Amino acid sequence: MDVGLVCDQCSTLAPMGTARCGKCSTALSLDDETRVGAPQPSRPPAQPNPAASVPCPECNAPVLPGNRFCGNCGGRMDVARPRPAPSADKPGRRTQFFGAIQAARAKLTLIRGDGLDGVSFTLAGEDHFAGRVDCPILFAEDPFLSPVHANFFYKDGRLVVRDEGSTNGVFVRVNGAAEIAIGSKFLVGEQMLEAHLVPEGADDAVEDGTYFFASPRRGASLRVIQTLRGGDTGTAFCSASGSVRIGREGNDIDFPDDPFISGHHAQVAREGGRLVLTDLGSKNGTFVRIAGERTLDHGDYVFMGQQLLRVEIV
């Protein structure tokens, strides 16, 4: 076995009595020349000179030239390791991939009855069916949902919802004012309503010249009809002004017992041959039933069955 002195800096073995390391010139004795082997007092370790140091391939700490190991992390200095270029905004950090959630472009968040957020559904695939039976977005206890009720998918880079022929439809919240189709259904609180234009000349005689006898008509251009559960017709209101305001009190149509309706909730108006539905800043919003499919934006709300979902675009 070889006997000698080991250099503290580069771990090179030197013969006994050697004053300085032959590789890095570090002193191996107390006074360089005369007191070889004498006890040496403790001294602070040599600090790397930033100007003369080299970076550690592991942690990038400065290390004196010739040292075989890094004093900061213990990594070997004689092994070359490629380092990725650090990020401009977070130097020295590496971005990690978290899996499928990174590939998602949108998600749906369920709004609970207390108004707080519930479970979220990540939309990372192509088709995301929602319904009561065997669907990724499943609400098995909701009797107003069809087995396969709707599909959320991407089209031309946008999120789209499509009604899959459901019984009760898919509703999207109105942002401000929106044109709606004549006869389309819309939700105000718990009330299902639809609007129709009143045609002129509806008081004509039948084929044999006899007029139908009933309550006299008053001048009207717009009719709003309530649909009851089971499909029966409820309240019908005709407007001569071509505008109907709906709410809980002080409106053309009031629903004082509906706790989800605001005082002045919504208005539907006739503008020429079209209908415009306007939400009047209600707390719970006004929803209109889509026909076929509808493109969704960040912050939209979708109502189907008894489920309210908020759209979040990543």
Side-chain angles (χ1 to χ4, degrees):
M1 179 178 65
D2 294 334
V3 178
L5 300 174
V6 178
C7 176
D8 292 334
Q9 295 295 328
C10 65
S11 300
T12 300
L13 181 67
M16 294 296 295
T18 304
R20 291 184 175 275
C21 174
K23 182 176 181 180
C24 66
S25 301
T26 301
L28 301 178
S29 62
L30 181 63
D31 54 2
D32 295 348
E33 299 285 347
T34 59
R35 300 185 60 184
V36 177
Q40 299 185 21
S42 60
R43 62 181 65 182
Q47 298 297 323
N49 180 4
S53 63
V54 293
C56 170
E58 287 289 345
C59 68
N60 212 34
V63 181
L64 286 173
N67 286 12
R68 295 172 58 190
F69 300 95
C70 172
N72 182 53
C73 69
R76 293 179 61 90
M77 294 297 296
D78 55 353
V79 177
R81 295 178 177 85
R83 292 179 56 82
S87 172
D89 55 340
K90 295 183 179 179
R93 295 187 181 183
R94 301 179 184 179
T95 302
Q96 299 183 13
F97 186 71
F98 288 103
I101 192 171
Q102 294 285 353
R105 286 166 279 177
K107 69 176 182 178
L108 302 174
T109 299
L110 179 67
I111 307 301
R112 303 186 325 201
D114 53 9
L116 300 178
D117 290 354
V119 64
S120 291
F121 302 92
T122 301
L123 308 181
E126 294 300 323
D127 293 288
H128 313 86
F129 290 97
R132 198 180 74 249
V133 179
D134 295 335
C135 291
I137 304 174
L138 181 65
F139 302 100
E141 304 300 322
D142 191 336
F144 297 104
L145 285 175
S146 296
V148 179
H149 197 101
N151 183 20
F152 295 86
F153 61 97
Y154 297 103
K155 182 177 181 180
D156 298 328
R158 303 283 303 278
L159 180 64
V160 176
V161 60
R162 181 173 61 216
D163 188 335
E164 294 294 326
S166 67
T167 298
N168 294 310
V170 177
F171 294 78
V172 177
R173 185 171 181 171
V174 173
N175 294 316
E179 182 177 354
I180 62 173
I182 297 171
S184 60
K185 297 183 182 297
F186 58 96
L187 282 173
V188 176
E190 291 186 312
Q191 309 306 316
M192 179 80 72
L193 306 170
E194 56 184 84
H196 296 268
L197 301 181
V198 177
E200 298 180 359
D203 198 22
D204 293 340
V206 295
E207 292 181 0
D208 63 359
T210 305
Y211 285 84
F212 186 83
F213 180 79
S215 299
R217 291 179 178 269
R218 64 186 180 116
S221 61
L222 174 65
R223 181 169 62 245
V224 175
I225 301 174
Q226 178 190 32
T227 301
L228 303 177
R229 285 189 180 179
D232 293 335
T233 299
T235 300
F237 181 86
C238 293
S239 170
S241 65
S243 175
V244 176
R245 180 170 289 194
I246 307 158
R248 198 173 60 247
E249 56 184 352
N251 304 274
D252 299 311
I253 304 177
D254 287 328
F255 298 98
D257 298 326
D258 190 333
F260 300 101
I261 289 184
S262 299
H264 301 292
H265 196 109
Q267 175 179 285
V268 59
R270 177 174 184 167
E271 296 184 3
R274 65 192 190 109
L275 291 174
V276 176
L277 179 64
T278 304
D279 182 84
L280 301 177
S282 67
K283 182 177 181 180
N284 292 309
T286 303
F287 294 78
V288 63
R289 183 171 181 171
I290 68 172
E293 60 185 44
R294 164 77 177 269
T295 300
L296 299 173
D297 295 315
H298 180 76
D300 279 345
Y301 286 85
V302 177
F303 189 84
M304 55 186 185
Q306 293 179 317
Q307 313 304 320
L308 178 60
L309 300 165
R310 183 178 67 244
V311 178
E312 298 180 25
I313 306 298
V314 178

